[in-house]
Amino acid sequence: VQLVESGGGLVQAGGSLRLSCAASGFTFDDYAIGWFRQAPGKEREGVSCISSSDGSTYYADSVKGRFTISSDNAKNTVYLQMNSLKPEDTAVYYCAADFINGLGPVLTLYEYDYWGQGTQVTVSS
C-alpha cells in the first residue's frame, strides 16, 4: 500500500495550491481518502475527505468554501484544491485511506488505515 502526496510549496496569502494524493496497492473504490494537516506544536486535524465509490465529501468548517476535494478513480488519485489560502493553513498535509466499503466518509483520524509521508504547505502573510 502506498500513498504519495505532491503539490505542496510556498504561496502568499490569498493564493492557491493543488495537492495530489496518488494511491496504489489497495482497491481504491472500497476506501475513502482523507486529507489531514499538522502545524508545528499542534495536533493533526482533519481537513476534508471523499468516498472513492460515490464521491460524497466532507469538509472541516475551517476550509469550507475555500478547499475542494475531488477524485479521479481512473488514476487512483485524489486532489485537494486550496484557494484563498491563509497563513493559518500552513502545515504538513497528509493524505490517508480509510476502508469504508460503501459507507460515508468521515474525518476521524483513528479510522484511517494507511498514511502518506506528507507535503509541506507554507502560506506567507
Side-chain angles (χ1 to χ4, degrees):
V1 174
Q2 193 171 23
L3 295 167
V4 180
E5 303 96 336
S6 62
L10 173 64
V11 65
Q12 289 187 332
S16 298
L17 283 174
R18 188 177 82 155
L19 305 183
S20 299
C21 174
S24 61
F26 59 91
T27 304
F28 193 69
D29 287 355
D30 289 339
Y31 284 75
I33 303 295
W35 284 98
F36 296 80
R37 66 187 181 186
Q38 188 165 18
K42 295 188 176 181
E43 293 187 351
R44 194 169 297 189
E45 63 175 2
V47 175
S48 181
C49 56
I50 185 168
S51 165
S52 300
S53 61
D54 66 10
S56 54
T57 59
Y58 182 84
Y59 295 91
D61 288 344
S62 59
V63 306
K64 278 181 183 176
R66 300 189 298 123
F67 291 10
T68 302
I69 192 169
S70 61
S71 178
D72 184 339
N73 286 25
K75 296 182 179 179
N76 283 8
T77 300
V78 169
Y79 304 97
L80 185 68
Q81 177 67 43
M82 306 187 295
N83 298 330
S84 303
L85 282 161
K86 305 174 182 180
E88 51 264 44
D89 294 317
T90 295
V92 177
Y93 282 71
Y94 300 89
C95 68
D98 173 24
F99 178 74
I100 60 171
N101 197 22
L103 298 176
V106 294
L107 269 180
T108 306
L109 192 146
Y110 64 79
E111 293 282 349
Y112 284 75
D113 308 296
Y114 307 114
W115 290 83
Q117 293 301 306
T119 185
Q120 176 70 47
V121 171
T122 303
V123 184
S124 63
S125 57

PDB file of all heavy atoms in Angstrom, residues 7-13 15-17 85 90 119-125:
ATOM      1  N   GLY A   7       2.582  18.457  -4.534  1.00  0.00           N
ATOM      2  CA  GLY A   7       1.924  19.723  -4.806  1.00  0.00           C
ATOM      3  C   GLY A   7       2.087  20.788  -3.749  1.00  0.00           C
ATOM      4  O   GLY A   7       1.617  21.915  -3.930  1.00  0.00           O
ATOM      5  N   GLY A   8       2.717  20.452  -2.645  1.00  0.00           N
ATOM      6  CA  GLY A   8       2.929  21.456  -1.621  1.00  0.00           C
ATOM      7  C   GLY A   8       3.932  22.506  -2.067  1.00  0.00           C
ATOM      8  O   GLY A   8       4.578  22.376  -3.110  1.00  0.00           O
ATOM      9  N   GLY A   9       4.051  23.564  -1.257  1.00  0.00           N
ATOM     10  CA  GLY A   9       5.003  24.607  -1.577  1.00  0.00           C
ATOM     11  C   GLY A   9       4.755  25.850  -0.774  1.00  0.00           C
ATOM     12  O   GLY A   9       4.004  25.838   0.210  1.00  0.00           O
ATOM     13  N   LEU A  10       5.390  26.929  -1.215  1.00  0.00           N
ATOM     14  CA  LEU A  10       5.267  28.235  -0.567  1.00  0.00           C
ATOM     15  C   LEU A  10       4.392  29.132  -1.425  1.00  0.00           C
ATOM     16  O   LEU A  10       4.616  29.251  -2.638  1.00  0.00           O
ATOM     17  CB  LEU A  10       6.659  28.846  -0.397  1.00  0.00           C
ATOM     18  CG  LEU A  10       6.729  30.292   0.106  1.00  0.00           C
ATOM     19  CD1 LEU A  10       6.172  30.387   1.523  1.00  0.00           C
ATOM     20  CD2 LEU A  10       8.168  30.797   0.055  1.00  0.00           C
ATOM     21  N   VAL A  11       3.409  29.763  -0.791  1.00  0.00           N
ATOM     22  CA  VAL A  11       2.493  30.630  -1.524  1.00  0.00           C
ATOM     23  C   VAL A  11       2.137  31.808  -0.631  1.00  0.00           C
ATOM     24  O   VAL A  11       2.154  31.693   0.605  1.00  0.00           O
ATOM     25  CB  VAL A  11       1.235  29.837  -1.954  1.00  0.00           C
ATOM     26  CG1 VAL A  11       0.429  29.374  -0.749  1.00  0.00           C
ATOM     27  CG2 VAL A  11       0.378  30.632  -2.910  1.00  0.00           C
ATOM     28  N   GLN A  12       1.810  32.914  -1.248  1.00  0.00           N
ATOM     29  CA  GLN A  12       1.386  34.086  -0.479  1.00  0.00           C
ATOM     30  C   GLN A  12      -0.069  33.945  -0.059  1.00  0.00           C
ATOM     31  O   GLN A  12      -0.855  33.238  -0.718  1.00  0.00           O
ATOM     32  CB  GLN A  12       1.569  35.354  -1.300  1.00  0.00           C
ATOM     33  CG  GLN A  12       3.020  35.756  -1.498  1.00  0.00           C
ATOM     34  CD  GLN A  12       3.144  37.117  -2.167  1.00  0.00           C
ATOM     35  OE1 GLN A  12       2.284  37.549  -2.911  1.00  0.00           O
ATOM     36  NE2 GLN A  12       4.252  37.803  -1.878  1.00  0.00           N
ATOM     37  N   ALA A  13      -0.418  34.632   0.990  1.00  0.00           N
ATOM     38  CA  ALA A  13      -1.811  34.634   1.446  1.00  0.00           C
ATOM     39  C   ALA A  13      -2.718  35.071   0.308  1.00  0.00           C
ATOM     40  O   ALA A  13      -2.405  36.003  -0.454  1.00  0.00           O
ATOM     41  CB  ALA A  13      -1.971  35.569   2.637  1.00  0.00           C
ATOM     42  N   GLY A  15      -3.385  33.103  -2.171  1.00  0.00           N
ATOM     43  CA  GLY A  15      -3.033  32.292  -3.315  1.00  0.00           C
ATOM     44  C   GLY A  15      -3.658  30.910  -3.272  1.00  0.00           C
ATOM     45  O   GLY A  15      -4.476  30.601  -2.393  1.00  0.00           O
ATOM     46  N   SER A  16      -3.260  30.075  -4.234  1.00  0.00           N
ATOM     47  CA  SER A  16      -3.839  28.739  -4.386  1.00  0.00           C
ATOM     48  C   SER A  16      -2.758  27.691  -4.577  1.00  0.00           C
ATOM     49  O   SER A  16      -1.666  27.992  -5.082  1.00  0.00           O
ATOM     50  CB  SER A  16      -4.760  28.702  -5.614  1.00  0.00           C
ATOM     51  OG  SER A  16      -5.840  29.597  -5.480  1.00  0.00           O
ATOM     52  N   LEU A  17      -3.083  26.493  -4.157  1.00  0.00           N
ATOM     53  CA  LEU A  17      -2.254  25.317  -4.418  1.00  0.00           C
ATOM     54  C   LEU A  17      -3.188  24.136  -4.661  1.00  0.00           C
ATOM     55  O   LEU A  17      -4.305  24.109  -4.135  1.00  0.00           O
ATOM     56  CB  LEU A  17      -1.357  24.988  -3.224  1.00  0.00           C
ATOM     57  CG  LEU A  17      -0.095  25.828  -2.986  1.00  0.00           C
ATOM     58  CD1 LEU A  17       0.553  25.425  -1.664  1.00  0.00           C
ATOM     59  CD2 LEU A  17       0.888  25.686  -4.122  1.00  0.00           C
ATOM     60  N   LEU A  85      -5.847  30.917   0.353  1.00  0.00           N
ATOM     61  CA  LEU A  85      -5.048  30.383   1.452  1.00  0.00           C
ATOM     62  C   LEU A  85      -4.691  31.455   2.472  1.00  0.00           C
ATOM     63  O   LEU A  85      -4.490  32.638   2.131  1.00  0.00           O
ATOM     64  CB  LEU A  85      -3.781  29.738   0.905  1.00  0.00           C
ATOM     65  CG  LEU A  85      -4.001  28.345   0.298  1.00  0.00           C
ATOM     66  CD1 LEU A  85      -2.857  27.949  -0.614  1.00  0.00           C
ATOM     67  CD2 LEU A  85      -4.183  27.310   1.398  1.00  0.00           C
ATOM     68  N   THR A  90      -0.899  26.989   7.029  1.00  0.00           N
ATOM     69  CA  THR A  90       0.454  26.441   6.995  1.00  0.00           C
ATOM     70  C   THR A  90       0.548  25.185   7.840  1.00  0.00           C
ATOM     71  O   THR A  90       0.179  25.187   9.022  1.00  0.00           O
ATOM     72  CB  THR A  90       1.468  27.493   7.499  1.00  0.00           C
ATOM     73  OG1 THR A  90       1.490  28.593   6.599  1.00  0.00           O
ATOM     74  CG2 THR A  90       2.863  26.890   7.602  1.00  0.00           C
ATOM     75  N   THR A 119       3.229  16.481   2.725  1.00  0.00           N
ATOM     76  CA  THR A 119       3.808  17.517   1.890  1.00  0.00           C
ATOM     77  C   THR A 119       3.613  18.866   2.605  1.00  0.00           C
ATOM     78  O   THR A 119       2.548  19.134   3.147  1.00  0.00           O
ATOM     79  CB  THR A 119       3.178  17.521   0.487  1.00  0.00           C
ATOM     80  OG1 THR A 119       3.847  18.477  -0.341  1.00  0.00           O
ATOM     81  CG2 THR A 119       1.692  17.854   0.514  1.00  0.00           C
ATOM     82  N   GLN A 120       4.654  19.676   2.593  1.00  0.00           N
ATOM     83  CA  GLN A 120       4.626  20.932   3.332  1.00  0.00           C
ATOM     84  C   GLN A 120       3.907  22.010   2.531  1.00  0.00           C
ATOM     85  O   GLN A 120       4.200  22.223   1.352  1.00  0.00           O
ATOM     86  CB  GLN A 120       6.056  21.396   3.638  1.00  0.00           C
ATOM     87  CG  GLN A 120       6.150  22.744   4.335  1.00  0.00           C
ATOM     88  CD  GLN A 120       5.655  22.695   5.771  1.00  0.00           C
ATOM     89  OE1 GLN A 120       6.011  21.802   6.532  1.00  0.00           O
ATOM     90  NE2 GLN A 120       4.839  23.671   6.161  1.00  0.00           N
ATOM     91  N   VAL A 121       2.991  22.694   3.207  1.00  0.00           N
ATOM     92  CA  VAL A 121       2.335  23.869   2.645  1.00  0.00           C
ATOM     93  C   VAL A 121       2.660  25.046   3.561  1.00  0.00           C
ATOM     94  O   VAL A 121       2.400  24.992   4.762  1.00  0.00           O
ATOM     95  CB  VAL A 121       0.807  23.673   2.550  1.00  0.00           C
ATOM     96  CG1 VAL A 121       0.124  24.983   2.174  1.00  0.00           C
ATOM     97  CG2 VAL A 121       0.480  22.580   1.543  1.00  0.00           C
ATOM     98  N   THR A 122       3.228  26.095   2.987  1.00  0.00           N
ATOM     99  CA  THR A 122       3.569  27.287   3.750  1.00  0.00           C
ATOM    100  C   THR A 122       2.912  28.491   3.092  1.00  0.00           C
ATOM    101  O   THR A 122       3.111  28.737   1.902  1.00  0.00           O
ATOM    102  CB  THR A 122       5.085  27.494   3.818  1.00  0.00           C
ATOM    103  OG1 THR A 122       5.696  26.333   4.384  1.00  0.00           O
ATOM    104  CG2 THR A 122       5.422  28.703   4.676  1.00  0.00           C
ATOM    105  N   VAL A 123       2.131  29.218   3.878  1.00  0.00           N
ATOM    106  CA  VAL A 123       1.439  30.395   3.383  1.00  0.00           C
ATOM    107  C   VAL A 123       2.012  31.616   4.089  1.00  0.00           C
ATOM    108  O   VAL A 123       1.921  31.739   5.314  1.00  0.00           O
ATOM    109  CB  VAL A 123      -0.079  30.306   3.625  1.00  0.00           C
ATOM    110  CG1 VAL A 123      -0.785  31.502   2.999  1.00  0.00           C
ATOM    111  CG2 VAL A 123      -0.629  28.997   3.059  1.00  0.00           C
ATOM    112  N   SER A 124       2.605  32.499   3.316  1.00  0.00           N
ATOM    113  CA  SER A 124       3.216  33.699   3.900  1.00  0.00           C
ATOM    114  C   SER A 124       2.221  34.847   3.917  1.00  0.00           C
ATOM    115  O   SER A 124       1.354  34.945   3.046  1.00  0.00           O
ATOM    116  CB  SER A 124       4.455  34.082   3.105  1.00  0.00           C
ATOM    117  OG  SER A 124       4.101  34.424   1.781  1.00  0.00           O
ATOM    118  N   SER A 125       2.368  35.693   4.911  1.00  0.00           N
ATOM    119  CA  SER A 125       1.437  36.831   5.043  1.00  0.00           C
ATOM    120  C   SER A 125       1.937  38.060   4.308  1.00  0.00           C
ATOM    121  O   SER A 125       3.040  38.107   3.822  1.00  0.00           O
ATOM    122  CB  SER A 125       1.259  37.161   6.525  1.00  0.00           C
ATOM    123  OG  SER A 125       2.507  37.436   7.119  1.00  0.00           O
TER     124      SER A 125
END
